[in-house]
Amino acid sequence: MNALITRCIRLFPSLASCWYAIPLRLIVGGGFIHHGYAKLARGPDNFTHILSTLGMFDPALLAWATIVVEIAGGIAVIAGLFIPLASGPMIVVLLVAIFTVHLPNGFSSIKLLAVTSAGAQFGQPGYETDLLYICGIIALVLGGSGPLALDRWLLRSWTKVGATAPN
């Protein structure tokens, strides 16, 4: 029984625990890039109008700030570069989305309304997905960006430069 529990705790005990970060970085970063690019592709004016309808102050500035945070933050997360710095603005974007759009729709991100001959029809999503993104970002901040991250490469490069520089 102990062997089964041990196996369930870690499927691959010989694999370093930090490798969890790579799929997490890909899905969190990729999701942010996708959402930012969608706003850009549809035209920032469309997103500006949405923010204006929600009663946000300076909707044009917030629209561009959101697009930049989503795309640049997504790239930073995928690259494993300065995730603790990028996480603040990314979490703010998610919290604003929760409290201005998703909260009235409840928790569930999938609201199956009906299935017709045309296919499934869904209602407005809740805040579940936003919370999952927030948890993913927090996990990367607390656990580190893992292997194959640019910040590790930069740290090694800067350490070598500092070690060879005269005092």
Side-chain angles (χ1 to χ4, degrees), residues 118-155:
Q121 297 175 350
F122 296 94
Q124 294 296 316
Y127 55 90
E128 175 181 13
T129 304
D130 295 313
L131 288 180
L132 289 170
Y133 274 113
I134 290 171
C135 289
I137 292 167
I138 291 171
L140 288 169
V141 169
L142 295 177
S145 55
L148 306 176
L150 282 181
D151 57 5
R152 287 176 181 263
W153 179 80
L154 285 174
L155 182 61

Side-chain angles (χ1 to χ4, degrees), residues 93-115:
V93 165
L94 291 165
L95 290 173
V96 169
I98 287 172
F99 288 108
T100 61
V101 178
H102 301 294
L103 195 61
N105 301 322
F107 176 75
S108 183
S109 62
I110 299 174
K111 300 269 182 15
L112 182 62
L113 299 177
V115 177

Side-chain angles (χ1 to χ4, degrees), residues 61-83:
L61 174 67
L62 291 179
W64 277 106
T66 301
I67 291 168
V68 168
V69 165
E70 288 179 343
I71 293 174
I75 291 169
V77 168
I78 286 177
L81 187 62
F82 307 125
I83 292 175

